[in-house]
Amino acid sequence: MTLGKEQLRSRVSGREISYIPQAAMNALNPTLRIIRFIEDIMKEHRPELSRKQVWELAVERFETLNLSARVLESYPNELSGGMKQRTVIAISTILNPKVLIADEPTSALDVTSQKAVIKLLKHLLEKGYIQSLVFITHELPLLYHVTDDIMVMYAGEIVERGTAEQMIFDPIHPYTKKLMGSIIVPEEGMRGHKLAAIPGTPPNLKTVPEGCRFADRCTYAQSECRQGRIELQTFQDRSYRCIVPADTLREWYAHEDE
Amino acid sequence: MSAYGKYVVKKFFWYFVTLIVAIALNFLLPRMIEGNPVSVIVAQMTQGMTESDTIKRVYDTFAAEFGIDQPLHVQFFIYVKNLLTGNWGTSFGLYPKPVTEILASAIPWTIGLQLPAILVGWIIGNVLGAVAAYRKGVFDKVIFPVALFVNSIPFFTLAIIMLYAFALTLKWFPMHGGYDYQMIPSLSWEFIGSVLRHHTLPFLSIVLVTIGGQAIGMREMSIYELNSDYVLYSKLLGIRDSRIARYVFRNAMLPQITGLALSIGTMVGGSLICEIVFSYPGIGTWMFTAIRQLDYPLISGCTLLIALAVLLANFTIDLIYGWIDPRIKAAQMEDQ
């Protein structure tokens, strides 16, 4: 199915697929009251609603998300950071989208606000306001608590995909493996533990190297890694992008851990 | 009292203090001339006069007006009292015409020339700047350099070039003045036509310069706003482009409104060069004449008028800005 730009805008954006931006601080028009912005969204997607109906709908939704109706009459600069973030989430989900893409929704927040945001997102899922959630982040421990499946991307490509459990405790792709090594578990003996960094930097995407994009930084790289396009391999119920068989990789990892 | 009320009172107080300072400077500057200011002034004025009676009369008029036989602070109160009662002094150059009369005759010309020109230039400039930022491509590649070019020419050069091209060479418009000097000002069609013909060239020159400056400012602001996060967010929530353009241009306009208010405030002083080049009978020309003739009362009348206009414009901006931009209103409230 192909959609024109205009159809995409009126049928999908905000309605089927909605979005929570990374910087919620600046995501709201500073000179528009929150309710005016919601009215504008409704004019696009639910033009049959009157202003009063929009108001009632917004108040109801905001109250289920523990935001007072007063927020609706406010300008963005009158809200605190955490409130702005929750307001943005409430606005993004007001049309009950099927998919909500959350682009690092917690990255600029303190831990308490992070927790509130995560709770809010879970609440939205439980209530059925949103049906699924794509959570983009680099905070792996957080991800484990939020998601069912994890997809790891490197240099613009998906390198591995599996359930949260599999990805955290049994990574296959060398990049995922290294990435999971960055998780710190605050327990005894961790103070002396050195975190291993991956040497080098990600490739410049203007000139993508041939072959595996991770090859330059991978400790297991062979000459075949740099030839042709590396396709996603399926292994049981998961997939990964590496030419080495999953069992061999696992053996290497086991050997390395000793 | 509400926070906004307190804010207004505080602002008013500070503008009032500034006004007092401006009046004090206006009062002090002529009195800082070496020796007795009145005799210096009168000596300059009466050069060539031989009749000592006349000189004495002129001297007495000014001595009484300045109250120079009194101590300085008493003089200041006399000065302020005179200002408040509408007695702004007597012009030296056009003795015995009162300064207020000269200013009153000049103000309509200045406002009639500047106000429409600034408004037209401001509107066209902002529309062009917004279009350049929004449509990009050819629009931007044409509008931006042209605006930059027009804005970079010193105003008097532009005015002289226009005068040379359209009045002297092409003879489309008259060379100078506010109307044909053979006519007697009246409300006849002929006179109005003459005024309009004289009005066109200086009007166009101001419009052109205003367009240049405004278009550049608006373009920058619009580009900044177009790249802001709320534009992307609104787009991804499916809001149509025309509405997003409204958000963007409303926000980009905010600093431009300050610019408009300021240029209306400085209108009286800003008209100086334009009016001199086109010999337009407004405040600017009078001020220039006054400076050349060392006509101190007229100079201080003009400067006082300019100071008043600028202060009034700034005060108005401070008052209305909070209503246009909620962020500034918040900042105003925090000050309290």
Side-chain angles (χ1 to χ4, degrees), chain A residues 195-225:
Chain A
L195 284 176
I198 308 175
T201 48
N204 182 351
L205 290 183
K206 279 182 189 161
T207 51
V208 184
E210 206 194 329
C212 175
R213 294 184 180 185
F214 187 58
D216 284 344
R217 305 170 72 188
C218 181
T219 34
Y220 311 108
Q222 311 153 8
S223 53
E224 296 93 77
C225 289

Side-chain angles (χ1 to χ4, degrees), chain A:
Chain A
M1 182 175 72
T2 49
L3 281 175
K5 219 180 159 190
E6 180 58 24
Q7 286 170 308
L8 182 73
R9 179 189 69 70
S10 61
R11 286 206 220 144
V12 178
S13 295
R15 187 174 210 177
E16 300 275 312
I17 302 176
S18 196
Y19 171 77
I20 302 175
Q22 180 168 12
M25 308 295 139
N26 308 320
L28 295 164
N29 183 349
T31 57
L32 211 59
R33 287 181 202 274
I34 306 295
I35 184 68
R36 294 285 110 69
F37 185 51
I38 295 176
E39 279 169 11
D40 284 350
I41 297 170
M42 290 304 184
K43 254 180 236 158
E44 302 293 346
H45 298 299
R46 302 277 300 275
E48 72 279 4
L49 294 181
S50 71
R51 277 180 80 164
K52 197 164 165 280
Q53 284 171 310
V54 172
W55 170 259
E56 280 161 7
L57 191 97
V59 168
E60 197 200 321
R61 176 56 61 90
F62 270 54
E63 272 168 2
T64 46
L65 301 182
N66 279 328
L67 284 160
S68 80
R70 200 181 53 80
V71 172
L72 288 169
E73 281 290 355
S74 308
Y75 286 103
N77 66 307
E78 294 164 357
L79 307 174
S80 71
M83 260 166 118
K84 251 187 242 177
Q85 180 65 279
R86 281 188 289 148
T87 306
V88 166
I89 294 174
I91 293 173
S92 292
T93 55
I94 202 157
L95 286 160
N96 297 349
K98 292 206 177 90
V99 181
L100 178 68
I101 301 174
D103 183 3
E104 303 208 29
T106 56
S107 58
L109 299 175
D110 59 274
V111 220
T112 324
S113 304
Q114 279 190 11
K115 190 178 168 192
V117 165
I118 299 298
K119 271 193 164 170
L120 190 61
L121 288 173
K122 284 200 158 175
H123 183 65
L124 285 165
L125 278 165
E126 278 159 20
K127 285 237 173 190
Y129 291 155
I130 51 175
Q131 286 166 22
S132 44
L133 174 67
V134 177
F135 197 97
I136 302 168
T137 186
H138 49 253
E139 288 171 73
L140 295 166
L142 184 73
L143 209 51
Y144 177 59
H145 292 287
V146 180
T147 59
D148 303 325
D149 288 328
I150 296 180
M151 225 185 251
V152 174
M153 291 187 76
Y154 180 80
E157 274 183 342
I158 294 165
V159 293
E160 189 172 351
R161 178 192 172 150
T163 64
E165 189 91 18
Q166 289 168 340
M167 295 291 280
I168 303 272
F169 297 107
D170 178 27
I172 295 176
H173 192 279
Y175 176 64
T176 322
K177 172 74 184 164
K178 295 271 190 212
L179 199 62
M180 298 312 158
S182 73
I183 300 176
I184 312 169
V185 185
E187 56 186 13
E188 233 174 294
M190 281 304 283
R191 190 179 286 268
H193 186 85
K194 274 239 159 52
L195 284 176
I198 308 175
T201 48
N204 182 351
L205 290 183
K206 279 182 189 161
T207 51
V208 184
E210 206 194 329
C212 175
R213 294 184 180 185
F214 187 58
D216 284 344
R217 305 170 72 188
C218 181
T219 34
Y220 311 108
Q222 311 153 8
S223 53
E224 296 93 77
C225 289
R226 293 172 219 275
Q227 282 156 17
R229 210 185 124 72
I230 312 289
E231 295 299 335
L232 268 180
Q233 323 275 326
T234 6
F235 172 74
Q236 290 156 10
D237 54 343
R238 42 203 294 208
S239 47
Y240 66 102
R241 194 184 294 275
C242 185
I243 55 165
V244 184
D247 289 331
T248 320
L249 282 166
R250 277 195 183 139
E251 259 172 52
W252 287 347
Y253 297 153
H255 188 69
E256 203 172 64
D257 286 341
E258 275 165 18

